[in-house]
Amino acid sequence: MAAAGKVCTGFAKPYVALYSNTGATTAYSGGMQLARGVDVSIEPEVGDANPFYADNVEAETVPGTFTGGTVSLTVDGLLEAAEKMIFGLPEPEEITYDTDKKAQVTTYGNSMQIPYLGLGFIIRYMSDGVESYSPVILTKVRFQTPTQAAATQEEQIDWQTQELTADLMRDDSADHAWKKVAADVSTEAEAEAILKAMLNITEAA
C-alpha cells in the first residue's frame, strides 16, 4: 500500500538569532523566541530556466535558481526584546511626566540598525492520522520596517495580530544556503530543541 500523504496542519514557535559570518563560516548568536506564531508564507524569487535546443527540441535545461524573496509572518504580538533585536532599535530614552514619574520612549528613526538574522519555526504535519513536526530555518533574513494597525473594540474583542515581512537571501556559507529543514520528529518539544540547536540558542538564552 502506498504511503499516506503529509498534510500541513500548523505553524508555531518562531525564533530569531543574530546572523554573522567570517568568510564562508556562518554563525548565530543571541537567539530568542520572536512571538507566538499565527501563520507564515515564504515567497522565493527564482530566475528563468535556461534551455538548450537541439534537433528542434529542448534537449537540455538548467533550472532557475533562487535569487531572493520575502517571508511574511503573522504573530500575536512581538516580545519586547525580540522587537528590539529584529529592528535594531536604540536604547530607550527616559522622560519625566507628572513631575516625578518616569517613562521609557523608544525612537523609530535613522538610529535603527536593522540586522541580518536567522529565522526559524516549526511546521506541524499529519500523515495517516499521525502528527509530526518539522523544524525549518531561513538562514539569512532582514526584516522590513513594520506596519502597524489597530481597531477599537466593539461588542466583542477583535483579536488583532502583527504582520511582519522580511527579505529572504542566501547566506555566506560555501553552499550559499537559504533554507534548512530538519527531519520530522514526533513531538513539538523535540522539534523546538532541534530548532534552538540550529540557531545556537542555549537554555540560558
Side-chain angles (χ1 to χ4, degrees):
M1 185 174 67
K6 189 170 78 168
V7 181
C8 179
T9 63
F11 159 70
K13 304 287 186 178
Y15 276 83
V16 288
L18 293 170
Y19 169 91
S20 64
N21 73 285
T22 303
T25 301
T26 62
Y28 297 108
S29 62
M32 65 186 71
Q33 188 167 352
L34 181 67
R36 293 186 297 183
V38 177
D39 62 52
V40 63
S41 175
I42 302 170
E43 298 181 13
E45 295 175 358
V46 179
D48 293 335
N50 184 14
F52 168 73
Y53 292 88
D55 288 344
N56 300 317
V57 297
E58 185 178 308
E60 301 284 350
T61 185
V62 176
T65 58
F66 172 87
T67 58
T70 58
V71 53
S72 300
L73 286 162
T74 304
V75 297
D76 59 345
L78 286 172
L79 299 172
E80 185 176 349
E83 183 171 9
K84 182 177 179 181
M85 173 194 282
I86 70 172
F87 298 127
L89 295 172
E91 291 297 323
E93 300 176 13
E94 187 174 78
I95 65 167
T96 302
Y97 67 101
D98 286 348
T99 307
D100 59 352
K101 295 180 181 179
K102 306 292 184 182
Q104 302 294 315
V105 178
T106 300
T107 299
Y108 289 72
N110 290 340
S111 56
M112 294 169 64
Q113 300 292 326
I114 300 178
Y116 293 109
L117 303 159
L119 171 64
F121 45 84
I122 297 169
I123 302 295
R124 188 183 67 198
Y125 293 99
M126 181 172 287
S127 178
D128 209 14
V130 178
E131 287 187 338
S132 63
Y133 300 83
S134 177
V136 178
I137 299 290
L138 302 178
T139 60
K140 187 178 182 182
V141 306
R142 198 178 197 186
F143 280 90
Q144 300 176 8
T145 301
T147 60
Q148 185 173 28
T152 192
Q153 181 179 337
E154 298 181 10
E155 292 184 4
Q156 294 182 337
I157 292 176
D158 179 13
W159 302 106
Q160 297 168 54
T161 54
Q162 172 73 61
E163 307 291 333
L164 301 169
T165 302
D167 296 313
L168 186 60
M169 59 202 78
R170 291 182 180 271
D171 68 18
D172 298 280
S173 66
D175 196 46
H176 298 298
W178 65 274
K179 182 171 75 169
K180 295 184 178 183
V181 181
D184 290 9
V185 292
S186 59
T187 68
E188 185 177 83
E190 187 175 1
E192 187 174 9
I194 295 169
L195 195 66
K196 288 181 177 180
M198 294 171 74
L199 289 175
N200 193 32
I201 299 173
T202 62
E203 289 302 320

